[in-house]
Amino acid sequence: MNFFNVTLPLALVNVINQASRSLMALIGPLLALEFDLSAADLGLLGAILFVAYGLMQLPVGVALDLYGPRRVQCASAALACLGFAISAAAAGPFMLGFGRFITGMGIASGLIGLIKGHTLWFPRERVAALTGAGVFIGGIGGLCATVPMQAVLPSIGWRGAFWVLAMAAACVSLWIWLAVPPSPKRNAQKSIWSEIREFGPIFTAPVFIRMAPAIATLNALHFTYQGLWLGPWLRDVAGLEDGMRALTLLFYALGVMFGNLIAGNITSLLQARGKSPMIVPIVAMCAMLAMQVLILVVAPRDAWLVTLMWLAFSLSGSTSSAAYSSLAQAFPAQLAGRVSTAVNGSMLALVFVFQSIIGALLDLWPRTALGGWSATGYAWAMMATIIFQAATMLWMWRRRE
């Protein structure tokens, strides 16, 4: 097996995954004005995708372990295509929310399918690096949903953006079916309930109890801002116009790409030298916490300083490939899909909570003359996430062996 018939085609699900999440940060302000949405409404609309994403994690983990990445990822991309089409045709926020829910179901296996494919066909020491490379490719979707999409948005509108993603998802589904090999046959077949019950030892394992909350929070905060609230923050707090806002989102997406690539390769290098693969996620947690504090205290207004700070935030937050593969390797290989979906499901539940609570906090202050939200509300929201992340890191430190 090689990069071109495993990593590349499976990474394409992450391309549409990243694009679907990043798009809301760009079009969220447009949707709020067109459908007269409050901050809480917009937060809920953005979080619906992550609800579906989270609900699918445990079923996806079992499906990947039972049926392999080829069949699961092909079906997932086709389902995402349906979700994008429903969103494009939505007459109101309820139908748009339903489309986002279906999309969330379709993209739910993106990262986990990539990790599962690598654990099936590559040596352990290459899993983190290859997964980082796959997520790097997936970041192209996030890039496309920034400056390029901003450039064509006046011509195609937000509905056209969803139609473009629908066509891309259909092509991805076909490509995976043609390129990815069938999974190796399992030596023994268990009942579906036996497979599901194996989540129990995962959730109760000491390493999972210690590391999962901090890893989930690290990735949830990254998703919360990339998936919705960074775009409005750049408008309401930093005062950036549409063009510069799209450019900052592009740099954020670049941080996602290079963060995963760098973290994956450093993790594999550490493992090759007998070091713990958890070093990279722990350093990333400290860096993200520090960046939130800096952004809160400095409250930058210079466009390039704003961009630099959020680039650093995205670099530290984009270590999901290293964090998930590191945790998965603490368990038997046949459980890799379920381990990753267990922590991913917890993370996505946090995204729903973070996006919804930030919206609710913003609604405590009057809207601005331009239809945005108060900078004070954003400050209180970031203060809350700082406290929450610090608490998960303290938990991780106190439960060390």
Side-chain angles (χ1 to χ4, degrees):
M1 301 304 165
N2 58 53
F3 179 89
F4 294 100
N5 63 0
V6 176
T7 302
L8 180 59
L10 293 179
L12 295 176
V13 179
N14 276 314
V15 172
I16 57 175
N17 182 342
Q18 291 279 353
S20 65
R21 289 192 275 114
S22 300
L23 183 63
M24 281 298 289
L26 188 68
I27 69 172
L30 298 177
L31 297 175
L33 292 174
E34 179 166 338
F35 294 128
D36 192 26
L37 303 176
S38 68
D41 295 333
L42 184 60
L44 184 60
L45 184 60
I48 283 173
L49 178 137
F50 295 101
V51 173
Y53 203 144
L55 290 174
M56 288 295 291
Q57 289 306 294
L58 300 190
V60 159
V62 173
L64 284 167
D65 286 338
L66 287 176
Y67 306 115
R70 180 177 182 245
R71 286 194 281 178
V72 173
Q73 297 294 70
C74 181
S76 295
L79 189 59
C81 174
L82 175 62
F84 289 133
I86 294 172
S87 298
F94 291 105
M95 187 174 177
L96 179 57
F98 178 66
R100 294 283 290 170
F101 188 88
I102 299 298
T103 301
M105 295 175 65
I107 63 174
S109 63
L111 175 61
I112 312 307
L114 194 61
I115 294 173
K116 180 64 180 181
H118 291 154
T119 58
L120 282 175
W121 289 301
F122 294 96
R124 289 169 63 91
E125 64 273 11
R126 295 190 63 196
V127 170
L130 284 168
T131 304
V135 177
F136 178 87
I137 294 168
I140 294 172
L143 288 180
C144 292
T146 58
V147 172
M149 187 62 74
Q150 179 66 51
V152 300
L153 206 56
S155 301
I156 66 174
W158 62 265
R159 296 180 188 277
F162 281 119
W163 282 122
V164 169
L165 291 179
M167 290 186 288
C171 293
V172 168
S173 179
L174 179 61
W175 192 340
I176 289 171
W177 185 256
L178 295 175
V180 178
S183 299
K185 291 189 178 295
R186 294 161 58 88
N187 293 327
Q189 294 292 331
K190 300 179 183 178
S191 71
I192 187 67
W193 293 113
S194 296
E195 299 286 353
I196 292 172
R197 280 197 297 270
E198 291 194 20
F199 276 111
I202 294 172
F203 281 112
T204 56
V207 65
F208 188 91
I209 293 171
R210 178 195 173 204
M211 298 300 301
I215 292 174
T217 301
L218 173 74
N219 289 293
L221 288 173
H222 156 55
F223 277 24
T224 294
Y225 282 100
Q226 185 192 27
L228 179 60
W229 286 118
L230 179 54
W233 186 96
L234 293 171
R235 178 194 62 185
D236 299 337
V237 179
L240 302 188
E241 299 296 330
D242 289 350
M244 191 63 202
R245 191 163 69 242
L247 185 61
T248 302
L249 291 172
L250 182 143
F251 274 95
Y252 191 104
L254 285 171
V256 173
M257 294 174 66
F258 284 97
N260 276 289
L261 183 65
I262 293 168
N265 280 279
I266 291 176
T267 300
S268 285
L269 181 63
L270 289 172
Q271 283 185 282
R273 297 184 176 184
K275 304 293 184 181
S276 170
M278 293 295 183
I279 292 173
V280 172
I282 291 172
V283 171
M285 293 166 200
C286 296
M288 174 179 277
L289 189 64
M291 286 314 305
Q292 287 186 89
V293 172
L294 275 176
I295 291 169
L296 179 63
V297 172
V298 176
R301 298 280 297 182
D302 177 78
W304 287 108
L305 180 58
V306 168
T307 301
L308 182 62
M309 284 187 164
W310 282 105
L311 173 62
F313 180 94
S314 71
L315 282 168
S316 59
S318 303
T319 55
S320 55
S321 58
Y324 286 23
S325 62
S326 297
L327 189 59
Q329 290 180 46
F331 294 84
Q334 67 270 22
L335 296 178
R338 275 163 285 190
V339 173
S340 297
T341 52
V343 67
N344 213 34
S346 305
M347 180 273 292
L348 292 163
L350 276 179
V351 175
F352 174 78
V353 172
F354 287 156
Q355 289 196 342
S356 300
I357 286 180
I358 288 174
L361 286 172
L362 294 180
D363 280 336
L364 295 177
W365 283 266
R367 296 187 74 155
T368 65
L370 297 177
W373 292 281
S374 169
T376 305
Y378 287 101
W380 278 100
M382 188 165 285
M383 194 180 305
T385 59
I386 288 171
I387 293 170
F388 190 91
Q389 185 174 30
T392 63
M393 292 172 65
L394 179 62
W395 169 268
M396 178 182 65
W397 180 77
R398 289 179 63 89
R399 294 188 69 90
R400 69 192 188 284
E401 294 179 358

